[in-house]
Amino acid sequence: MTAIASFRSGGPAGRFMHWSAPATVTALVAGAVGYVALHNPHHETLSPPCMLLSTLGIYCPGCGGTRAVYDIAHGDFASALQMNGFVTLLVVPVAAAALAWWFARAVGVNVPSWRIPTWLIWLYVGALGAFWVLRNTPMFAPYLAP
Amino acid sequence: MSEIPPPPPPAPAAPYSGAAVPGSKNWMGIVGLILSILAILLACCWGSGILFAAGGAVLGFLGKKAADNGEATNRGLSSAAFILGIVAAALSAIVIVLGIFGFAAADWSSYY
C-alpha cells in the first residue's frame, strides 16, 4: 500500500518509474529519426517497397512520411509539406508536443492537464481519411501526393 | 468467576483491489488510442500496423469495460481506440493480402 502510494505521489522509486517510460519512448523515436536523417530517403531505399503503391498504385496516408521526416530534420519544411502535409503538420508537431508534455509531467513540472474530447479524435481521423482520398485525386495530387 | 471476554476479532482488511478508483484505468483508453492511430499510419507498411491494431483494440475494449466498472472516466476515447483498432486491422489485412499476391510485381526502387 505504501509502495503504491509512493509510486502514485512520485516518491523516490515512483519518480524513476515515471521518468523511465517517456525517456525510453523518446530514445526510440530519436533513434528512428536519427537513422532517417542520416539516410536520404529521397535517393535511398530504406525498406522493402510499398505494396499498396506497387499493386494498386494508391498513395496511403503515410506515403512520403519518411521523406517528410528527413526534410524536417534537415530544416526543409517546404519539401516536407510537399512530401506529406499530414505528417508534417499533424503528426510530427503533435507527437513532439505530447512527448514534451509527458516528460515535463514525469519530472514534476506543473503542466496543465487537458482532457482530449472525443470529437477531436474523430475530427483527426476524419482529416486523415480526407487526406488519403484527396491525395489520390488528380485535382489535389500535385499538392498532397509525394 | 466471570471469564474475560475474548477481544473482538480484528476487522477484515479492506481489499485494496476491490476499490474502484475513478480514472485509475484511464491510461488504457489513451494508450489504446495512440496505438490504434499508429496502426492506421503503419497499415500500409506491409500490414505491420496489425500488431499495433491488436494492442489498440484490446486496450480499447478493456478501457470500455473499466469505464463501465467506474475505474475509468474516458469511455469515449476507449471506444474510439477499439473501433479504430479494428479498422486498422482490416486495412492491414487488405495490405497483407495485396502483398502476398503482388509481391512479384513490386517495384523495389520505390521510396517512402
Side-chain angles (χ1 to χ4, degrees):
Chain A
M1 184 75 186
T2 43
I4 289 160
S6 110
F7 177 82
R8 292 249 177 264
S9 65
R15 189 160 296 249
F16 172 72
M17 293 292 286
H18 279 242
W19 198 82
S20 59
T24 308
V25 173
T26 306
L28 289 173
V29 172
V33 171
Y35 181 81
V36 170
L38 293 176
H39 297 79
N40 189 339
H42 291 278
H43 304 299
E44 257 181 81
T45 308
L46 300 190
S47 49
C50 175
M51 284 302 158
L52 199 63
L53 190 59
S54 29
T55 54
L56 298 183
I58 293 174
Y59 297 116
C60 92
C63 196
T66 317
R67 282 166 284 177
V69 168
Y70 172 88
D71 290 335
I72 292 170
H74 289 259
D76 188 352
F77 289 98
S79 177
L81 278 173
Q82 174 64 57
M83 286 302 127
N84 191 320
F86 191 88
V87 165
T88 307
L89 296 177
L90 289 174
V91 174
V92 172
V94 171
L99 274 180
W101 183 86
W102 193 13
F103 232 121
R105 203 179 143 100
V107 297
V109 179
N110 200 5
V111 281
S113 159
W114 181 54
R115 200 181 160 79
I116 306 166
T118 309
W119 60 263
L120 188 63
I121 300 303
W122 295 116
L123 185 67
Y124 188 86
V125 175
L128 184 67
F131 178 71
W132 187 357
V133 172
L134 290 180
R135 71 191 324 211
N136 286 291
T137 61
M139 195 176 166
F140 291 100
Y143 310 103
L144 300 180
Chain B
M1 181 167 170
S2 65
E3 219 176 304
I4 300 166
Y16 178 74
S17 59
V21 183
S24 65
K25 290 190 176 171
N26 278 356
W27 65 269
M28 287 180 171
I30 296 167
V31 175
L33 189 66
I34 292 170
L35 288 179
S36 291
I37 290 180
L38 268 181
I40 288 186
L41 285 171
L42 287 175
C44 315
C45 300
W46 335 291
S48 60
I50 206 160
L51 301 171
F52 292 87
V58 167
L59 278 180
F61 181 75
L62 292 176
K64 276 204 296 185
K65 265 176 59 178
D68 292 339
N69 292 336
E71 293 167 301
T73 55
N74 54 355
R75 194 174 202 287
L77 283 195
S78 295
S79 176
F82 180 63
I83 295 169
L84 292 178
I86 288 174
V87 170
L91 284 176
S92 302
I94 292 172
V95 174
I96 289 170
V97 170
L98 283 178
I100 292 168
F101 289 105
F103 193 77
D107 175 9
W108 286 82
S109 64
S110 70
Y111 304 130
Y112 277 79

